[in-house]
Amino acid sequence: MNKDILLATGKERTVSAVWADVLSLFKGIVLIANVLPVLTGFWLAVHFSGTTFGDHLDVFILTMIGSTLLMAGALVLNNWYDVDIDTVMARTQSRPTVTGNFSLKMVLFIGIALSVIGQVMLFFTTIEAAIYAFIGWFTYVILYTIWSKRRYTLNTVIGSVSGAVTPLIGWAAISPTFHIVPIVLFIILFIWQMPHTFAIAMKKYDEYKAANVAMLPVVYGFKMTKRQIAVYVACLLPMPFYLYTLGTTFMVIATILNVGFLAVSIAGFFTKYDLKWANIVFLYSVNYLAILFVMMIIVTL
């Protein structure tokens, strides 16, 4: 391993400390959350195309590794660009870009290298999958991180596009995405990211305000944010019925999840403990997404 990585402030660092920095640099949990929809999109494309998983094993490997590397590259570039505001926000002050454990030049190189390698790998699947992947990368790195995040509350809407294309990447590696299932998956992910991100912005209100980041709660307050959360969650209600081809069991469970999500959202209008409520919304949203996309795979086994 590169000696420069293992050294910090003149002292040798433990492997576990370096690994923790790597996970922080790649935003490990966020990366996993974005890889899951790629897997689900790929699996469902195989299912609806009437082929078998084994028929596409080589494409699967290229798709998963390529998309993971590309998304990791985008997340690393986000860390590289945001180092100034990360020094202000308590939740990001342990990132290696802030602590200096990784040099910014090295981080920039890693971000570009991973992005290029991932994009090239996806070109060996289908052009359509590669295009969706590039759209996601460009939206997150250029339109969200560099252009809109610090300027406009619409940064959340713009950033949501990058996360929403992930199932399209997986599906397009097998079949064209002109199909109701991948389109609805895109819509679900786009809508879901709004209340999820708003909840985080409420939880970290003081930090975003100190860093002068134009998140919705910072600019328009908690009342507006609560209304926006409820509206977006309500938009999820009809989505399971467009996925009727996944079966009754899926539609019932997904609808129950949506109703529960809406109930939690509406509860925000009656609570005096906004930050505690925002944390509940955040936790519900994370589990909601994981259950929903894993369930899509289970019901089609």
Side-chain angles (χ1 to χ4, degrees):
M1 188 173 288
N2 192 314
K3 185 178 179 181
D4 291 337
I5 297 179
L6 288 172
L7 294 178
T9 64
K11 298 180 180 179
E12 187 172 339
R13 305 175 62 231
T14 64
V15 173
S16 60
V18 174
W19 180 243
D21 276 344
V22 170
L23 288 178
S24 177
L25 185 65
F26 292 164
K27 301 184 180 181
I29 296 177
V30 176
L31 182 59
I32 293 171
N34 280 277
V35 170
L36 175 59
V38 178
L39 172 60
T40 301
F42 188 96
W43 178 270
L44 292 178
V46 170
H47 173 76
F48 284 101
S49 66
T51 59
T52 65
F53 190 82
D55 294 335
H56 307 285
L57 185 58
D58 55 340
V59 178
F60 174 75
I61 293 172
L62 284 169
T63 302
M64 296 310 298
I65 296 178
S67 59
T68 299
L69 291 178
L70 184 66
M71 289 185 286
L75 292 168
V76 169
L77 290 173
N78 173 268
N79 276 342
W80 169 78
Y81 188 81
D82 278 352
V83 63
D84 57 332
I85 62 176
D86 284 348
T87 60
V88 178
M89 300 180 65
R91 75 187 184 98
T92 56
Q93 288 175 350
S94 61
R95 287 178 179 171
T97 47
V98 177
T99 61
N101 291 339
F102 288 5
S103 71
L104 290 180
K105 184 181 294 185
M106 178 187 294
V107 171
L108 177 61
F109 173 78
I110 292 172
I112 294 174
L114 290 176
S115 299
V116 171
I117 294 170
Q119 185 69 67
V120 170
M121 290 184 72
L122 288 168
F123 272 115
F124 285 96
T125 59
T126 66
I127 296 298
E128 187 177 0
I131 289 173
Y132 283 130
F134 178 76
I135 290 173
W137 183 93
F138 183 82
T139 302
Y140 185 75
V141 175
I142 306 300
L143 299 184
Y144 170 70
T145 299
I146 296 177
W147 176 56
S148 66
K149 182 176 180 178
R150 309 177 189 217
R151 296 179 177 87
Y152 312 108
T153 57
L154 284 175
N155 59 20
T156 305
V157 176
I158 294 169
S160 292
V161 173
S162 60
V165 300
T166 49
L168 300 183
I169 297 171
W171 184 288
I174 298 296
S175 301
T177 54
F178 189 69
H179 188 287
I180 187 64
V181 171
I183 292 172
V184 173
L185 295 188
F186 173 90
I187 295 172
I188 288 174
L189 272 170
F190 178 80
I191 295 172
W192 170 85
Q193 286 177 96
M194 307 302 288
H196 173 75
T197 306
F198 290 156
I200 295 174
M202 287 183 66
K203 288 175 58 182
K204 303 299 180 182
Y205 170 85
D206 291 335
E207 296 180 38
Y208 279 118
K209 185 175 181 180
N212 198 31
V213 178
M215 302 303 289
L216 185 66
V218 174
V219 178
Y220 291 106
F222 282 6
K223 288 185 177 180
M224 169 64 80
T225 305
K226 289 179 180 182
R227 290 197 294 270
Q228 290 288 308
I229 288 175
V231 168
Y232 278 107
V233 171
C235 290
L236 288 171
L237 288 174
M239 292 299 107
F241 301 100
Y242 290 102
L243 298 174
Y244 64 89
T245 51
L246 294 180
T248 303
T249 300
F250 172 81
M251 288 194 296
V252 170
I253 296 176
T255 299
I256 292 172
L257 286 172
N258 284 339
V259 172
F261 204 172
L262 184 61
V264 170
S265 302
I266 292 174
F269 297 128
F270 306 97
T271 185
K272 297 179 180 178
Y273 306 101
D274 290 334
L275 298 184
K276 183 178 179 179
W277 171 80
N279 190 54
I280 293 173
V281 174
F282 167 75
L283 292 174
Y284 192 102
S285 68
V286 170
N287 286 283
Y288 171 92
L289 186 70
I291 294 171
L292 197 67
F293 276 78
V294 170
M295 186 169 57
M296 291 178 190
I297 296 175
I298 293 175
V299 298
T300 52
L301 285 173

